[in-house]
Amino acid sequence: MNRYFSIVVPVYNRPEEVRELLESLQKQVFQKEFEVVIVEDGSSESSEEVVKSYQDTLQISYFYKANSGPGDSRNFGMEKARGDYFIILDSDCILPPQYLTEVEKELQHKFVHCFGGPDAADESFTTVQQAINYVMTSFFTTGGIRGGKKSVGKFQPRSFNMGISKEAFEKVGGFGRIHPGEDPDLTFRIWKAGFETRLFPNAFVYHKRRIDWNKFYIQVNKFGMVRPILNRWHKGTAKPTYWFPTLFMLGLIVALLLALVGIGLPLWLYGCYFVLLFVDALLKTGKIDVAILSLYAALTQFAGYGFGFFKSTMLLNFSNKEPEELFPKLFFKKK
């Protein structure tokens, strides 16, 4: 099949990220033509000059629009794109040279209307970035839902590294206004429309999250708040495992209280888990400082997601208000 890829990238105030991404796209070993569509989502720091500097080496288009969120910007980019298969990337991703070749290889082997690929940490990333990348991708923290070869349940692509056919996009209408959570919401609608999704394990990206501990907590807290909303919208998608971070944190609090009165077994079991996590992080990254920070990153992730999930679940079940009324910051306004 003579496929034509359109790579769609929303960007918000990150011109240097765009430069790094375009530099990696310029180094692709892929032999076919492809286009790049950059959508500036109401930024005050424009990426237009950066994009212009790559016009001689890439088939690239630049569009500026009012700020309406990454989901709407991706939809805008796909509407403007000329390809028949869209690849959605975040601006903070860097692609290895073989990325597009791996995508094409997978689609030729067994075509699928929507795919997702893993994220990885490059050696140049900071220790904090590598620790956060580990806990976001480890089977022992997220169950492999973000692209691990071992995964709990059916694979749900994530929009930092995701592909969708033009046919599927037009049938389901693209991303919604919720953020975060727009990618699983899209995945569920893709399934309902009769299309399949699949993990492309070798089509990974280096996800250079520009993040600190506070931003990471806020991010995973929002992830936790979004999940019960998605469970309500998409009946049959809720899983008991989504409660794990909440139960983990509540159990940890109980274990600490029990230890104060001389009952140490529950806390000892938590200690065993953290030893397992440390050893796995050390084996995966080969760096003891990253492995140590991974323990703090895991606690931050469980606390943020767990308490956000619990709060959202309680409010949705004991309030007559709609999600947009309860959590207005999780929704972009219609333009």
Side-chain angles (χ1 to χ4, degrees), residues 215-234:
K215 290 178 181 177
F216 181 51
Y217 179 87
I218 293 171
Q219 181 186 58
V220 293
N221 185 251
K222 287 182 176 181
F223 288 160
M225 287 193 288
V226 158
R227 182 57 69 174
I229 298 173
L230 298 178
N231 293 344
R232 172 178 282 194
W233 286 353
H234 304 284

Side-chain angles (χ1 to χ4, degrees), residues 20-37:
E20 289 180 313
L21 173 57
L22 294 182
E23 188 68 25
S24 69
L25 281 167
Q26 191 175 248
K27 295 176 181 177
Q28 291 297 296
V29 297
F30 191 59
Q31 295 300 307
K32 298 181 181 179
E33 284 192 359
F34 62 92
E35 71 165 339
V36 183
V37 180

Side-chain angles (χ1 to χ4, degrees), residues 30-183:
F30 191 59
Q31 295 300 307
K32 298 181 181 179
E33 284 192 359
F34 62 92
E35 71 165 339
V36 183
V37 180
I38 302 295
V39 181
E40 193 89 65
D41 186 26
S43 302
S44 56
E45 297 177 43
S46 173
S47 301
E48 186 171 11
E49 291 304 314
V50 173
V51 171
K52 284 181 179 179
S53 67
Y54 286 87
Q55 285 181 334
D56 291 337
T57 54
L58 292 170
Q59 295 287 334
I60 192 166
S61 303
Y62 172 87
F63 298 95
Y64 183 93
K65 52 177 281 298
N67 178 250
S68 58
D72 187 60
S73 296
R74 296 180 190 116
N75 293 342
F76 180 92
M78 287 186 278
E79 289 166 358
K80 296 293 184 181
R82 295 180 288 116
D84 53 17
Y85 207 101
F86 309 128
I87 296 177
I88 312 297
L89 299 172
D90 278 357
S91 62
D92 58 356
C93 289
I94 300 171
L95 307 188
Q98 73 281 5
Y99 174 82
L100 287 175
T101 303
E102 293 294 341
V103 171
E104 178 71 0
K105 189 187 301 182
E106 287 278 1
L107 290 173
Q108 286 182 344
H109 171 67
K110 185 181 179 183
F111 182 81
V112 68
H113 283 275
C114 180
F115 77 85
D119 54 346
D122 187 71
E123 287 295 317
S124 65
F125 289 10
T126 68
T127 304
V128 172
Q129 286 173 327
Q130 292 182 55
I132 290 175
N133 181 81
Y134 168 77
V135 301
M136 292 291 279
T137 58
S138 172
F139 177 80
F140 295 110
T141 52
T142 63
I145 63 171
R146 294 179 66 88
K149 291 184 180 180
K150 294 179 179 179
S151 180
V152 177
K154 198 172 178 181
F155 179 65
Q156 300 175 22
R158 291 294 187 266
S159 54
F160 65 85
N161 179 13
M162 178 183 192
I164 179 172
S165 70
K166 183 176 182 179
E167 179 184 346
F169 166 69
E170 290 179 342
K171 187 166 184 178
V172 302
F175 293 92
R177 293 186 298 108
I178 193 169
H179 178 73
E182 70 273 20
D183 30 16

Side-chain angles (χ1 to χ4, degrees), residues 126-307:
T126 68
T127 304
V128 172
Q129 286 173 327
Q130 292 182 55
I132 290 175
N133 181 81
Y134 168 77
V135 301
M136 292 291 279
T137 58
S138 172
F139 177 80
F140 295 110
T141 52
T142 63
I145 63 171
R146 294 179 66 88
K149 291 184 180 180
K150 294 179 179 179
S151 180
V152 177
K154 198 172 178 181
F155 179 65
Q156 300 175 22
R158 291 294 187 266
S159 54
F160 65 85
N161 179 13
M162 178 183 192
I164 179 172
S165 70
K166 183 176 182 179
E167 179 184 346
F169 166 69
E170 290 179 342
K171 187 166 184 178
V172 302
F175 293 92
R177 293 186 298 108
I178 193 169
H179 178 73
E182 70 273 20
D183 30 16
D185 172 57
L186 175 61
T187 296
F188 295 147
R189 288 187 283 112
I190 285 172
W191 292 346
K192 288 176 183 177
F195 299 110
E196 294 295 321
T197 60
R198 193 169 84 243
L199 169 67
F200 289 5
N202 295 321
F204 66 89
V205 300
Y206 297 115
H207 199 178
K208 196 173 185 178
R209 298 178 178 89
R210 287 182 176 30
I211 201 166
D212 56 32
W213 292 117
N214 184 57
K215 290 178 181 177
F216 181 51
Y217 179 87
I218 293 171
Q219 181 186 58
V220 293
N221 185 251
K222 287 182 176 181
F223 288 160
M225 287 193 288
V226 158
R227 182 57 69 174
I229 298 173
L230 298 178
N231 293 344
R232 172 178 282 194
W233 286 353
H234 304 284
K235 304 300 183 184
T237 61
K239 298 178 182 178
T241 51
Y242 295 152
W243 277 97
F244 175 75
T246 303
L247 297 177
F248 182 94
M249 292 307 300
L250 293 176
L252 180 58
I253 293 170
V254 172
L256 289 169
L257 292 174
L258 289 174
L260 292 176
V261 296
I263 304 174
L265 178 59
L267 193 59
W268 181 83
L269 293 174
Y270 272 91
C272 291
Y273 170 79
F274 282 113
V275 169
L276 173 66
L277 202 64
F278 173 82
V279 172
D280 185 62
L282 184 60
L283 292 173
K284 293 286 194 331
T285 67
K287 297 178 180 180
I288 192 168
D289 52 349
V290 174
I292 292 171
L293 279 180
S294 294
L295 303 182
Y296 182 72
L299 268 176
T300 303
Q301 182 185 58
F302 288 150
Y305 187 102
F307 295 137

